[in-house]
């Protein structure tokens, strides 16, 4: 990837026009049109007070979930020795590791499509090389450091601002990309719960009927959303701004991209599990999605602790040290290696940008100094 070439056309991100549409797009400072209703200051103050009143509930729930998960994880691994864990960690064959890394690449390629679809919805044209760099690095960093709104938003702003995108546009992009993730997760979880209801009941100690009901409810929610955005144009209000949601065609694309990402990410851990585990991939995907959702709810970086505890509980019939070894190797392949690559890519991007801009700026400075002399 040629990072230096990304700065040749700074600030050239330009709006696209829908075929047959003659209206101008909203200003870049207003990514989706400001709500013309109530006084923004009054509405903003009321919303802030309302949010502060209930914010502690979500924070407390996340802390409780995280603490409980750590307790469960500690209980599960209390019988595993370091020698057993080291043996299980090194038990993966080169073929398993190679396939896992290949699936990591596929998953992160799908992640770059999150931003590409969001830019399409916002009618902005940005080179794919820039989109891929911003998307890959922002997700790789936020997965490891947590606080995705802050960490991923900072990385996205660092890169996209050079293409002329304002903070408002970048925030809108992040929101639309989030819809892609949840649509994919919902579709995969619903289908897996319905099709693999019986195997999952043995793994998770739940009833077949409960799994099917949850699967139908999840799919119904996804289909209801698709129907909702199909009937007419829909929008959401975010801190006084109105963001238009993607229509049916783009929403279906989001769902497919999100499902592809989830399946590839689940495949990374699946191929690292010990041989002969007897768990079908479709059933495992449901376990993976549930573990990922609980990890997100805990707000821990990468769902650390919560994700592992959920998987260990669901796969309690397998050797615990082998599953834990696979989970640790999964962390290395899916989180640590992309994180290191992302940091190197960001460093190379910044060095290339400075190397390109400095020679151009130096003569201008010299000329300014010579003009200032009498």
């Amino acid at each position: 990837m040629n990072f230096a070439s990304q700065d040749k056309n700074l600030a050239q991100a330009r709006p696209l026009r829908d075929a047959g549409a003659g209206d101008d797009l909203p200003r870049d400072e207003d990514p989706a049109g400001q709500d013309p209703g109530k006084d923004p200051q009054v509405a903003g103050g009321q919303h802030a007070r309302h949010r502060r009143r209930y914010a502690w509930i979500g924070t407390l729930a996340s802390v409780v979930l995280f603490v409980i998960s750590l307790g469960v994880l500690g209980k599960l691994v209390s019988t595993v020795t370091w020698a057993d864990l080291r043996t299980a960690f090194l038990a993966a064959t080169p073929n398993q590791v190679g396939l896992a890394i290949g699936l990591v690449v596929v998953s992160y390629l799908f992640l770059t499509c999150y931003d590409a679809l969001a830019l399409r919805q916002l009618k902005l044209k940005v080179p794919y090389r820039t989109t891929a760099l911003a998307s890959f690095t922002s997700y790789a960093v936020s997965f490891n450091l947590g606080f995705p709104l802050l960490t991923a938003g900072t990385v996205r702003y660092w890169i996209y601002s050079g293409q002329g995108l304002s903070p408002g546009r970048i925030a809108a992009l992040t929101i639309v990309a989030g819809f892609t993730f949840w649509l994919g997760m919902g579709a995969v979880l619903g289908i897996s719960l319905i099709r693999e209801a019986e195997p999952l009941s043995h793994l998770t100690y739940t009833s077949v009927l409960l799994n099917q009901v949850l699967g139908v409810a999840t799919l119904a929610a996804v289909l209801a959303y698709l129907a909702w955005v199909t009937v007419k144009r829909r929008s959401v209000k975010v801190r006084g701004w109105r963001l238009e949601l993607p229509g049916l065609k783009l929403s279906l694309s989001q769902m497919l991209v999100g499902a592809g990402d989830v399946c590839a990410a689940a495949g990374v851990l699946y191929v690292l599990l010990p041989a002969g585990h007897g768990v079908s991939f479709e059933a495992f995907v449901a376990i993976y999605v549930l573990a990922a959702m609980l990890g997100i709810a805990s707000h821990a970086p990468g769902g650390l602790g919560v994700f592992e505890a959920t998987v260990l509980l669901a796969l309690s019939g397998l050797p615990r040290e082998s599953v834990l070894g696979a989970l640790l190797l999964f962390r290395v392949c899916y989180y640590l290696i992309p994180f290191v690559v992302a940091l190197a890519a960001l460093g190379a991007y910044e060095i290339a940008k400075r190397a390109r801009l400095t020679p151009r700026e130096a003569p201008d400075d010299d000329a300014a100094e010579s003009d200032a002399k009498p």
Side-chain angles (χ1 to χ4, degrees):
M1 185 179 295
N2 188 355
F3 300 121
S5 64
Q6 296 182 28
D7 294 297
K8 290 182 180 179
N9 299 307
L10 292 179
Q12 285 187 349
R14 59 184 184 277
L16 297 175
R17 297 289 190 270
D18 290 333
D23 296 337
D24 292 335
L25 291 171
R27 298 187 313 275
D28 193 45
E29 292 80 4
D30 184 356
Q34 192 170 13
D35 183 14
K38 298 180 180 179
D39 184 344
Q41 293 183 350
V42 175
Q46 293 175 348
H47 179 70
R49 288 193 297 271
H50 182 77
R51 187 173 64 250
R52 285 194 299 268
R53 185 181 303 172
Y54 297 102
W56 66 272
I57 299 178
T59 302
L60 179 61
S62 298
V63 172
V64 170
L65 176 61
F66 181 67
V67 171
I68 292 176
S69 299
L70 286 183
V72 172
L73 182 61
K75 181 73 173 178
L76 291 173
V77 303
S78 60
T79 59
V80 178
T81 65
W82 283 108
D84 293 337
L85 184 58
R86 180 176 181 275
T87 300
F89 183 82
L90 298 176
T93 65
N95 288 338
Q96 283 179 295
V97 175
L99 184 56
I101 292 177
L103 288 169
V104 169
V105 173
V106 173
S107 177
Y108 276 88
L109 284 175
F110 273 115
L111 285 175
T112 66
C113 296
Y114 284 28
D115 280 27
L117 289 173
L119 288 167
R120 181 178 175 183
Q121 167 62 18
L122 296 173
K123 299 178 176 64
L124 291 170
K125 189 173 183 180
V126 175
Y128 176 73
R129 60 181 178 272
T130 304
T131 303
L133 175 65
S135 182
F136 165 70
T137 54
S138 62
Y139 283 114
V141 170
S142 65
F143 284 167
N144 286 272
L145 300 184
F147 307 102
L149 291 179
L150 176 63
T151 54
T154 300
V155 174
R156 278 194 173 106
Y157 180 76
W158 182 4
I159 297 173
Y160 282 130
S161 60
Q163 293 288 319
L165 272 67
S166 70
R169 290 284 187 181
I170 297 171
L173 183 153
T174 303
I175 294 171
V176 176
F179 276 94
T180 304
F181 173 78
W182 287 107
L183 278 173
M185 291 272 278
V188 171
L189 179 61
I191 294 173
S192 299
L193 285 173
I194 294 172
R195 290 176 54 87
E196 299 293 320
E198 185 174 355
L200 284 170
S201 67
H202 300 307
L203 291 170
T204 58
Y205 303 101
T206 56
S207 68
V208 174
L209 180 59
L210 177 62
N211 292 337
Q212 291 174 336
V213 169
L214 291 176
V216 171
T218 303
L219 271 186
V222 173
L223 294 175
Y225 172 81
L226 294 176
W228 184 61
V229 297
T230 301
V231 174
K232 66 176 183 178
R233 290 186 176 183
R234 303 289 184 175
S235 61
V236 294
K237 295 178 183 178
V238 182
R239 299 196 176 191
W241 300 100
R242 187 175 65 254
L243 174 63
E244 185 176 319
L245 297 176
L248 177 62
K249 184 177 179 181
L250 196 57
S251 294
L252 287 173
S253 299
Q254 287 181 302
M255 187 175 66
L256 292 175
V257 167
D261 165 44
V262 171
C263 290
V268 177
L269 179 55
Y270 185 77
V271 300
L272 294 173
L273 291 176
H277 52 72
V279 180
S280 68
F281 177 69
E282 198 168 358
F284 180 78
V285 167
I287 296 171
Y288 178 90
V289 171
L290 178 60
M293 292 175 69
L294 290 175
I296 293 170
S298 71
H299 292 289
L304 185 64
V306 181
F307 179 84
E308 283 80 2
T310 305
V311 174
L312 283 170
L313 280 174
L315 301 180
S316 58
L318 301 180
R320 195 159 292 166
E321 64 277 3
S322 298
V323 177
L324 189 58
L327 284 166
L328 290 176
L329 192 53
F330 169 77
R331 287 278 175 188
V332 172
C333 293
Y334 197 81
Y335 290 93
L336 183 58
I337 293 177
F339 182 56
V340 173
V341 174
L343 293 180
L346 289 172
Y349 170 77
E350 185 64 19
I351 291 172
K353 182 170 68 174
R354 291 181 178 275
R356 177 187 174 277
L357 295 178
T358 301
R360 181 199 298 177
E361 294 170 352
D364 295 339
D365 295 339
D366 294 340
E369 291 178 1
S370 62
D371 292 341
K373 293 180 180 179

